[in-house]
Each structure stands twice: as structure tokens, then as C-alpha cells.
Amino acid sequence: MLLHSLIRYARAYTPSSADLPSFPVYPAAAARQVCATLGRASICGRAIFQVEFALSRGKTSRGRTAVIVGAQWGDEGKGKIVDVLTQTFSVVARYAGGHNAGHTVIINGKKFILQLVPGGILRPECTSVVGNGVVIDPLAFLKEVASLRAAGVKVDGNLFISNRAQVILPYHRMMELGSENAPGRVKIGTTSRGIGPAYEDKMGRRGLRVADLLDIQLLRTHIENACREKNMIAHALFNSEPLDADKMFREYANAAEKIAPFVRDTALLLNRALAEGKSIVFEGAQGTMLDIDHGTYPFVTSSSATSGGAATGTGVPPTSIDTVIGITKAYCTRVGSGPFPSELLDAQGEDLRKRGNEYGAVTGRPRRTGWLDLPLLRYAGMINGISWLVVTKLDVLDHLTEIPVCVGYKVDGKGTDEVPAQACGYENIECVYRNMPGWASPTQDIRTVEDLPKAAREYLAFIEKETGAQVGMISTGPDREQTILVPEFTSELGLKSN
Ligand code: IMP
């Protein structure tokens, strides 16, 4: 099928296409002939790569891949698991969201907060890619790059951004602030980074992509037109002060120059890496319940945070995804407004917040806290196809003698496992809790599952039984070392055991 279309393509674009084979053909021979006819340096570089890929299929095996996805409302600790996987994975590709995300990674006591740059950046041998599904604020990106450089982190030649990613511009923030504060609007409690309006423009086919940012003429025209339109709308709806298009153009033209060395066709880069046998981690941002389609709509972010987003957000086909790793805290948190069935609004919730240091990495807002919600975890398992679970912040529960877990929902007195489509549907949900025995002893320095207290092992086994996913890793503290790796997980993902 692939060769068929390539040969048609070759016939259309090459002068000597008469030499190309007609069908039926022996695929490898045809591919070789197409390569030879087109020549490596022709305009059909991408097609050549595909042919080369087809040719090499029988000879090399493609690299393995894993998607890291938040199984709750974000902030599950994805940064740390990405960091662990990059021991052996060659590439980390971020596929959704923007600088609304904040991944905290602590290495040897030094804290890094990554917002746009993937976690792989902290290992110089790893390639980091910001995929086409991400919305990029050029100024935020350059600021992050500058602070990484200042900390001695290598960012040149190992960090790339997609030429197809959408660009966040100042009018996106203006529109978001206006609409979040407008009377009568549902307040989502966003991070105020302009994420939603940038995705709106993407879907409305009026966005600016990174490739367009580098095209100075186009950039000027785009900014002038967009500012005229957005200023009028924002003034009419929210009485906002107009933005100066000329000033914006100068600022972003300057940023474009600095960003240019990072820009690549990252879909090509990633597929080529896979064909060369390199392994890729797809780094999710936010979490399943913040996904634009599957989350607690409208209290969601504006991107596809779930594992499906890894394919559309990077250009790597779904058939090349091997494993999905879902990350869950041992309890539950969310930032911003919206449903949260197992939320604790009492002193116990405050205690979890303090012990877990549950304050937003980006906005500093206190996170809402609650008990682990298994119906939601099962839902996340179904939507993402989670095969491995990583349980983080187990140590935050160390002091408890009893741990309530939400094992099911009741609506009008009847048990249900269905997650409501409407935010108001959650108001009728009553959580059914089961009290699990606590372990009431420290776990931070434990490095194997066998050494965990019996009650902690039972807690993890219960999560496995109730979700059908295997726990592959447990995090018992913020440092890289405070990690327990399960041997089957280590061997499936080719990691070094700790
Ligand atoms: P936005 O992504 O800024 O539009 O915000 C939409 C919702 O997603 C708000 O409730 C935010 O608090 C939440 N949100 C966005 N990014 C993150 C994140 O990285 N962690 C947790 N919540 C997030």
C-alpha cells in the first residue's frame, strides 16, 4: 500500500519515472528502485525515508515506545517517572499542553521545574522533543532554555520543537483573562497561560504555527490581522485594553530568531529515530480527567492529555506505541474548579495537602486533596489502555493507621461504575469507601517491594486487583533515588534495577 502510493508519487515528481516498476511488484525491489530513481537529495526526502523504512523493516527492529500518562487530574509525578525511564530511553517527546504544566524533578537535592521542555533534557545523552500537539509560548520557551543553560544543562543539539506546533501569543492570554473573569461565564480556574484560546485558534484554523513564526512576512501579517480582530472582540466583550501589534511583531520576530535553531520536522525526526531502533518515551502533560474529550468537561484543559494524544501530538502512528504507563498518586488531588468525588474538605484534607506539599508547581495554588478514587482509575485504565501503573507519593500516607479508598460510586442508592458525561452528574455521586489498614511507618528509604510494610504491599495489591493494571514502580519521595522498581517492569522496559 505504502509502496504503491510512493511509486505513484515518484511518477508524478520525477522526470525518469518511466523507469519505475508497474504493479504487481516485489516490494523490496520496488522500494530500492524508487530510492534509486528519486535520489537521496530530491524534494521527496520524506518519501525516501519511508521507502528506506520499508526497506529496513526486515533488517532492523524499531525502537520500543512507552506513553506516560497522568491517570488523575495531573500533578501525579510524571516528571519523575520520565526521569527514571530516560536511564535507557533515547528520546522523550512531549505531546500535549503547554507551559500550564509543571514537572518538578529533584536530582541530588537540586530542584528543576520544567514547563515546556521534556524531562529528558536533564540527561545530556537523551534527545528531547516538543511535539506538534503542544502549544508553545516562545517567550516562555526561551526563558526556560535560558534558566536550564544557566544551571549548566545541555540544550543545544539535543532539544527540538516541532515546526507544526501552535504558537501562543499575548492576545491568547488577553482573551483568557477576559473570559475567565466575565460575568455569567463558567470559571474553569485555568493557569492563565493562554492555553485554551491558542487551541481554539488551532481548531479554528487561524492559528500561527512555529513554521509561520519563522516566516517574518507571514508573522507580521498574522499579528496585524489577529490583533485587529482580537482587540475588537476583547474590547467589546471584556472592555480589555488593546494590544500593540507593532510592538508584538518586534518582540516575536526577535524570539523567532532565537528559536529557529531548535525547530525541526519532529514527526520525521521521531519516526526516523524509531526506525533506527531508538526508544521513545511520550511524555503526557496534565491528566486523564483534564482531557478535552474524556475529562470532567468543561473543567478540563484544551488538549488531548490521554494516551491517544501521543500519536496525534507527535506524528508517530498508534501502531508504534507499545506500552502505556499510567501515573497515579496513592491518594488524589486536583487544581482549579470542577468535580472531585472523593475530595476531603476537612482537616484531613488539609493534612494531606501539608504532608504532600500539594501546591501547584506553576501557579502555587493550593491543590484540592482527597482519597484514591478507584472508579476513576478504572476509567483512566480503559481510556488510555494502561498496562502498568506507577504509584507515587506513597510516603505521604505513612502516618495513617487506616486509609479510606473510594471503591465504587452510588447514584440514587444504586451502584454504578459509570463516569458521568456532565459535570453536574458528579453532584449525584456518593462515594463508597473501603477502609484499608495503614502501615504507620516510614517508607522513604525502602528500595524493594518486599521491604515495604505488609499493609503497604496490600494497599498496592488492592489497587492492582481493582484496576487490572500491574504496579511497576512506586515512588516514596521526591528524589530520583526514592523509587521502588518492580523487576518485571524493569525487564519489560529495559531499565536498570535499583
Ligand atoms: P488550562 O490548562 O490553563 O486551560 O487550565 C484548565 C484546567 O486544567 C485548570 O483547572 C488547571 O488548574 C488545570 N491544569 C492545567 N495544567 C495543569 C497541570 O499541569 N496540573 C494540574 N492541573 C492543571
Side-chain angles (χ1 to χ4, degrees), residues 132 162-167 207-214 222:
N132 57 276
S162 168
N163 52 4
R164 291 176 173 81
Q166 295 280 325
V167 177
L208 182 86
R209 306 212 290 185
V210 168
D212 310 327
L213 177 76
L214 305 188
H222 186 96

Side-chain angles (χ1 to χ4, degrees), residues 121-402:
I121 202 71
L122 300 174
R123 297 199 193 253
E125 65 283 7
C126 199
T127 300
S128 294
V129 170
V130 181
N132 57 276
V134 176
V135 284
I136 299 179
D137 178 327
L139 305 188
F141 175 77
L142 290 171
K143 194 167 157 211
E144 200 169 325
V145 162
S147 72
L148 285 167
R149 271 200 188 114
V153 177
K154 179 177 184 274
V155 288
D156 299 301
N158 56 331
L159 171 63
F160 302 106
I161 62 179
S162 168
N163 52 4
R164 291 176 173 81
Q166 295 280 325
V167 177
I168 300 182
L169 286 152
Y171 48 75
H172 292 128
R173 276 189 299 279
M174 170 176 77
M175 298 302 281
E176 176 160 67
L177 287 173
S179 69
E180 275 279 86
N181 298 318
R185 293 270 190 124
V186 176
K187 195 171 170 67
I188 309 293
T190 71
T191 58
S192 314
R193 301 290 194 268
I195 307 290
Y199 278 112
E200 274 178 51
D201 278 355
K202 170 180 179 170
M203 292 311 186
R205 294 163 297 178
R206 53 177 180 267
L208 182 86
R209 306 212 290 185
V210 168
D212 310 327
L213 177 76
L214 305 188
D215 180 335
I216 286 306
Q217 271 318 314
L218 200 152
L219 178 66
R220 182 188 283 280
T221 315
H222 186 96
I223 287 183
E224 278 169 5
N225 290 341
C227 273
R228 195 175 313 116
E229 191 176 293
K230 308 283 182 193
N231 279 342
M232 277 166 72
I233 298 172
H235 179 73
L237 294 182
F238 318 123
N239 205 21
S240 311
E241 284 297 314
L243 297 170
D244 181 339
D246 201 44
K247 182 166 166 269
M248 196 185 297
F249 167 71
R250 275 183 273 116
E251 195 172 14
Y252 283 79
N254 182 33
E257 223 171 277
K258 295 192 180 122
I259 271 188
F262 296 98
V263 179
R264 291 287 185 284
D265 181 334
T266 52
L268 184 56
L269 185 155
L270 291 170
N271 281 290
R272 187 170 278 158
L274 272 185
E276 286 167 358
K278 292 187 182 142
S279 47
I280 303 182
V281 184
F282 297 98
E283 181 185 281
Q286 289 82 44
T288 304
M289 301 314 292
L290 288 175
D291 181 275
I292 186 73
D293 289 285
H294 304 290
T296 47
Y297 193 91
F299 302 97
V300 291
T301 190
S302 296
S303 64
S304 297
T306 45
S307 60
T312 52
T314 62
V316 170
T319 45
S320 293
I321 291 173
D322 299 323
T323 316
V324 179
I325 305 169
I327 322 295
T328 175
K329 279 180 189 166
Y331 50 99
C332 217
T333 64
R334 107 166 269 177
V335 211
S337 326
F340 185 173
S342 63
E343 183 169 17
L344 284 164
L345 294 165
D346 53 11
Q348 222 161 6
E350 184 55 35
D351 189 49
L352 273 185
R353 180 160 36 251
K354 288 219 172 88
R355 287 179 191 271
N357 190 24
E358 296 295 357
Y359 298 90
V362 174
T363 58
R365 288 180 291 177
R367 294 179 187 141
R368 298 157 63 191
T369 53
W371 299 123
L372 188 65
D373 184 331
L374 290 171
L376 278 196
L377 217 45
R378 286 192 280 269
Y379 176 72
M382 174 181 81
I383 297 292
N384 295 294
I386 293 172
S387 44
W388 290 101
L389 271 178
V390 170
V391 179
T392 61
K393 293 199 154 185
L394 189 74
D395 57 300
V396 175
L397 305 183
D398 281 354
H399 63 294
L400 296 169
T401 50
E402 205 168 56

